Amino acid sequence: MGLKKWEDLPDEIKVPEIKKYYDILYKKRFSLFFKRIFDLIIAIVLLIVLSPVFLMISLMIIVDSPGGVFYRQIRVTTYGKEFKIHKFRTMVSNADQIGSQITVRNDARITRVGAMLRKIRLDEIPQLLDIINGSMSFVGTRPEVPKYVEQYTNEMKATLLLPAGITSEASIRFKGEAKLLASAENVDEVYIKEILPRKMVHNLDSIANFSFWGDIRTMFRTVFAVLGKDYADDVANNNTIKTIALLTNNDDDIYCFRKELIEAIVENGYQVLISCPYGEKFELMKDIPYLYDNPVIDRRGTNVISDGKLFLHYRKLLKKYKPAVVLTYTAKPNVYGSIAAHQLHIPVINNVTGFGSVLNQGGILQKFIMLLFKAAYQKSECIMFQNATNMQLAQNLGMVRGEHVLIPGSGVNTERYPLQEYPAGGNGITGETVVFNYIGRILHDKGVDDYIEAARRIKKKYPATEFNMLGFIEPTENHYEQELKELSEQNIVIYRGSQKDVKPFIAKSHATIHPSTYGEGMSNVLLESASSGRPLITTDNPGCMETLQDGITGYRYHGGDVSQLCDVIEKFLALSNRERQIMGEKGREYIKENFSRSVVVNAYLEKIKEIIQDET
């Protein structure tokens, strides 16, 4: 059985995503011919040699439980052809009717003899018959049932170019698949959304790098894998898959700013370990496979004991999973996660999102914190700065010794934040209301007091304006709760609370005001708003001023100067609505050209691969 001509393939296989894999295999069609000859000869020899074992196992199954010797189930092989696989029955005879088509660890449907057969994969012996008839091969993507094949992406269907296999690289890495699924409430859903995509990374890689001798190596590796540990244990011991650890302090940072990076890391065949206090945004991450750690982080406190516990937590976590690379974000994960990784000789990539309110501190406390940053950064493999000001400051303070690069903040996914239709609006006195948004944590250092004061002044002069505030109130600054309640009642500032999705609020607004009074890494709120086609009003502080072109895509003013803030708001109100719309459209183009998230993701992937290659 050779590789069919491209024009003879079924239509569902003959798609652009598969063509590159087909071309690779076509060039190796003689190797595929020898693969088939090898499969046929070895299968016949093994079937003859193992016939006594075959008979003995058959008798054991008959004695152990009612039902037939073989388990026959429809699976899918070359070009989407269905066949009935041969396996020794290891479960009760009606297993398909009383549970999932996926087997989990300690599955009650498994018989006593079945458990023994599964442990050393003797239940696979009858598949020699499937190899002889051409439905299977020794090495190839494990044959799935039709309902799972229906979930394949076009690229995944490239695995159907070759016969299904008894073993594969994915089979070796996911030998403990049943253990991974043991705690799942919906086994099928978890398998389709989490396990299957991860296995397909390795299946597709095996096709792209196919060789006859590579198949022979996989067969030998399978023997050792059967006698060794399973995948879930190997992840922790870093034996069969490289783990990339990501440490940060809040779920917003994970979902809003790192999701695309995490997806790209998984797609490149790595396991992701996320260490971050649990938050509701993790509910939006269910379609991505990752290991999870839930640390306790006092984000703004300076308690030595709690910080010491966090350091010990990171050290224990990294010692357990032995990640190939650690990525750190936000202040405390950057400091304590990095120092823990350095002690364990694990490469670190830091992301400096800004030195924040530390720069506003004085005396001994500021010096001590800066010493911690220096201890964290000096031994890092690479430091990624989100703006040039922070990078220069770190260099001046002697924090940087190794490689350091400038990236466009966390970047913005311009597809997730598309150009929104601009709302109608008046001049602030007559006509439709002009709406301004503040989006971010309710925190003094974010300039919320300046925003509130500006709203008070503008509302007196321009009643047809609306000032919204969206974001959660920091526990250390809960005095804002009462103040915002009173402001809402007076219709000066309307507090909209913390929102899972701010896009609807951006869509209804005319501009985003970000009055941050300290240097940030790069304001994601501004990037997302500009990507949505909304003009920006923000300060001249690092991490804010870079996101706009003053007078073209928004207005810039001196941070902390409320009078200047009011002046630029009035300047904005004086524009026609069409002029505001054009300003927003130009802002989106500026963001697309300079702050695309793909730039950030690619920078990380290149550095991760470089570090791993150097280590090996």
Side-chain angles (χ1 to χ4, degrees):
M1 295 175 63
L3 193 65
K4 286 185 177 181
K5 293 182 179 180
W6 177 255
E7 56 269 24
D8 294 333
L9 295 180
D11 290 340
E12 61 270 21
I13 304 295
K14 198 166 48 181
V15 294
E17 293 89 342
I18 295 178
K19 187 63 164 64
K20 61 180 180 180
Y21 295 101
Y22 178 87
D23 290 341
I24 291 171
L25 293 176
Y26 188 77
K27 293 176 182 177
K28 300 178 179 180
R29 56 192 183 278
F30 294 110
S31 293
L32 292 175
F33 173 75
F34 286 118
K35 172 183 170 74
R36 175 58 186 155
I37 298 300
F38 173 84
D39 283 344
L40 193 58
I41 294 172
I42 299 301
I44 292 172
V45 170
L46 286 177
L47 195 59
I48 294 170
V49 171
L50 295 175
S51 56
V53 177
F54 204 107
L55 179 60
M56 182 179 67
I57 292 175
S58 298
L59 292 172
M60 290 172 62
I61 293 172
I62 292 171
V63 172
D64 183 51
S65 66
V69 172
F70 296 116
Y71 171 68
R72 305 295 306 278
Q73 184 186 47
I74 294 177
R75 299 291 180 96
V76 180
T77 186
T78 323
Y79 310 133
K81 177 184 174 182
E82 293 184 356
F83 75 104
K84 277 194 172 184
I85 196 170
H86 289 83
K87 296 181 74 172
F88 280 129
R89 181 173 60 82
T90 60
M91 305 178 81
V92 294
S93 59
N94 62 339
D96 286 349
Q97 284 74 50
I98 60 175
S100 170
Q101 291 178 311
I102 293 293
T103 309
V104 300
R105 192 184 190 191
N106 299 322
D107 198 313
R109 297 171 297 171
I110 299 175
T111 63
R112 287 176 299 175
V113 170
M116 181 271 292
L117 296 177
R118 282 173 173 269
K119 188 172 183 180
I120 51 177
R121 295 183 69 170
L122 290 176
D123 59 318
E124 310 277 1
I125 292 177
Q127 289 172 41
L128 293 170
L129 297 171
D130 297 315
I131 292 176
I132 292 170
N133 69 30
S135 297
M136 292 186 68
S137 171
F138 278 107
V139 179
T141 301
R142 288 292 295 160
E144 298 284 2
V145 297
K147 76 171 185 177
Y148 295 143
V149 176
E150 290 171 4
Q151 305 299 319
Y152 280 11
T153 63
N154 279 346
E155 186 178 24
M156 288 179 183
K157 291 176 183 176
T159 58
L160 301 177
L161 290 171
L162 297 178
I166 291 179
T167 188
S168 66
E169 182 65 25
S171 298
I172 296 170
R173 290 175 182 263
F174 286 81
K175 183 171 69 72
E177 177 182 303
K179 181 177 178 180
L180 294 171
L181 292 167
S183 60
E185 293 183 9
N186 187 324
V187 174
D188 286 339
E189 182 179 353
V190 172
Y191 181 76
I192 291 169
K193 292 185 176 181
E194 297 185 19
I195 304 298
L196 182 61
R198 288 153 67 184
K199 290 167 72 173
M200 279 298 178
V201 170
H202 303 292
N203 290 330
L204 292 169
D205 183 67
S206 295
I207 293 176
N209 297 287
F210 167 75
S211 74
F212 175 72
W213 293 110
D215 277 10
I216 301 300
R217 286 195 297 272
T218 299
M219 291 173 66
F220 278 107
R221 289 188 63 228
T222 299
V223 174
F224 292 112
V226 169
L227 301 175
K229 297 179 179 179
D230 65 25
Y231 170 80
D233 293 328
D234 285 336
V235 167
N237 294 317
N238 199 26
N239 290 331
T240 65
I241 189 168
K242 298 293 184 184
T243 301
I244 309 300
L246 192 153
L247 318 180
T248 189
N249 69 11
N250 69 85
D251 58 313
D252 264 340
D253 191 55
I254 291 293
Y255 177 72
C256 299
F257 315 135
R258 318 293 166 208
K259 181 173 182 285
E260 290 80 10
L261 173 60
I262 293 169
E263 289 174 329
I265 290 172
V266 172
E267 288 170 3
N268 277 267
Y270 303 113
Q271 170 71 49
V272 175
L273 166 64
I274 299 176
S275 178
C276 172
Y278 182 79
E280 59 185 12
K281 291 291 173 63
F282 275 104
E283 295 302 311
L284 304 175
M285 296 281 289
K286 289 182 176 180
D287 60 331
I288 304 174
Y290 59 87
L291 298 169
Y292 177 64
D293 169 64
N294 188 11
V296 177
I297 302 179
D298 181 5
R299 292 192 297 146
R300 302 190 60 79
T302 55
N303 186 293
V304 176
I305 295 176
S306 63
D307 285 4
K309 288 181 179 178
L310 178 62
F311 165 73
L312 293 174
H313 176 88
Y314 281 143
R315 201 175 191 285
K316 182 178 179 181
L317 178 73
L318 299 179
K319 190 173 182 179
K320 175 183 177 181
Y321 285 98
K322 301 180 181 66
V325 183
V326 174
L327 314 181
T328 66
Y329 302 86
T330 64
K332 291 189 178 182
N334 255 327
V335 171
Y336 302 117
S338 296
I339 295 174
H342 295 329
Q343 289 186 359
L344 296 170
H345 306 290
I346 300 172
V348 177
I349 300 176
N350 298 118
N351 186 299
V352 180
T353 53
F355 293 108
S357 56
V358 174
L359 299 178
N360 296 332
Q361 301 282 353
I364 296 175
L365 180 59
Q366 184 191 59
K367 291 180 180 178
F368 175 71
I369 294 175
M370 284 303 185
L371 280 174
L372 287 177
F373 277 125
K374 189 177 292 188
Y377 295 151
Q378 283 189 341
K379 294 182 180 180
S380 293
E381 195 75 21
C382 179
I383 306 176
M384 295 191 176
F385 290 93
Q386 295 198 7
N387 65 64
T389 304
N390 283 330
M391 185 166 72
Q392 187 61 56
L393 176 62
Q395 289 175 302
N396 294 342
L397 294 174
M399 293 182 181
V400 181
R401 286 186 180 175
E403 182 181 352
H404 55 282
V405 296
L406 184 65
I407 58 174
S410 298
V412 61
N413 185 334
T414 55
E415 293 181 2
R416 193 194 295 183
Y417 290 90
L419 181 66
Q420 300 268 18
E421 181 180 353
Y422 201 75
N427 59 11
I429 300 175
T430 60
E432 296 89 347
T433 300
V434 178
V435 179
F436 298 98
N437 281 340
Y438 166 87
I439 304 171
R441 289 177 292 155
I442 311 303
L443 179 68
H444 173 75
D445 289 338
K446 290 287 188 180
V448 296
D449 293 313
D450 291 354
Y451 182 81
I452 291 170
E453 179 57 29
R456 291 182 191 277
R457 297 183 191 181
I458 294 295
K459 288 286 287 187
K460 286 181 180 179
K461 194 172 181 180
Y462 304 94
T465 53
E466 180 180 306
F467 290 84
N468 295 311
M469 292 185 74
L470 297 89
F472 71 90
I473 300 173
E474 285 284 354
T476 55
E477 307 204 14
N478 54 21
H479 61 277
Y480 282 115
E481 289 184 14
Q482 183 59 35
E483 183 178 2
L484 290 175
K485 182 180 178 182
E486 293 173 359
L487 289 167
S488 295
E489 291 172 352
Q490 298 167 22
N491 199 32
I492 294 173
V493 173
I494 303 174
Y495 177 52
R496 304 289 184 178
S498 180
Q499 298 292 330
K500 282 187 178 181
D501 186 5
V502 298
K503 290 194 288 293
F505 293 92
I506 294 176
K508 294 177 182 178
S509 71
H510 294 82
T512 294
I513 299 176
H514 193 64
S516 181
T517 56
Y518 70 91
E520 305 196 21
M522 189 66 65
S523 171
N524 292 289
V525 166
L526 293 175
L527 297 181
E528 292 163 0
S529 296
S531 178
S532 304
R534 296 301 177 262
L536 309 178
I537 296 175
T538 190
T539 68
D540 55 3
N541 287 325
C544 297
M545 61 183 181
E546 298 90 346
T547 63
L548 61 82
Q549 295 171 292
D550 194 26
I552 300 174
T553 67
Y555 293 112
R556 191 181 298 137
Y557 72 96
H558 183 61
D561 190 329
V562 180
S563 295
Q564 273 195 27
L565 172 56
C566 291
D567 288 343
V568 296
I569 291 175
E570 289 195 65
K571 189 183 293 187
F572 181 80
L573 291 171
L575 298 174
S576 70
N577 210 51
R578 177 57 182 160
E579 288 174 317
R580 298 173 196 145
Q581 181 181 351
I582 293 172
M583 183 176 276
E585 291 170 352
K586 289 181 178 179
R588 176 171 169 81
E589 292 306 312
Y590 179 68
I591 294 301
K592 286 177 67 177
E593 291 175 9
N594 297 281
F595 294 93
S596 172
R597 184 157 290 173
S598 61
V599 175
V600 178
V601 171
N602 290 336
Y604 266 98
L605 288 178
E606 288 176 11
K607 191 60 191 175
I608 288 170
K609 290 177 181 178
E610 178 186 321
I611 291 172
I612 290 175
Q613 287 173 358
D614 289 344
E615 290 293 311
T616 55

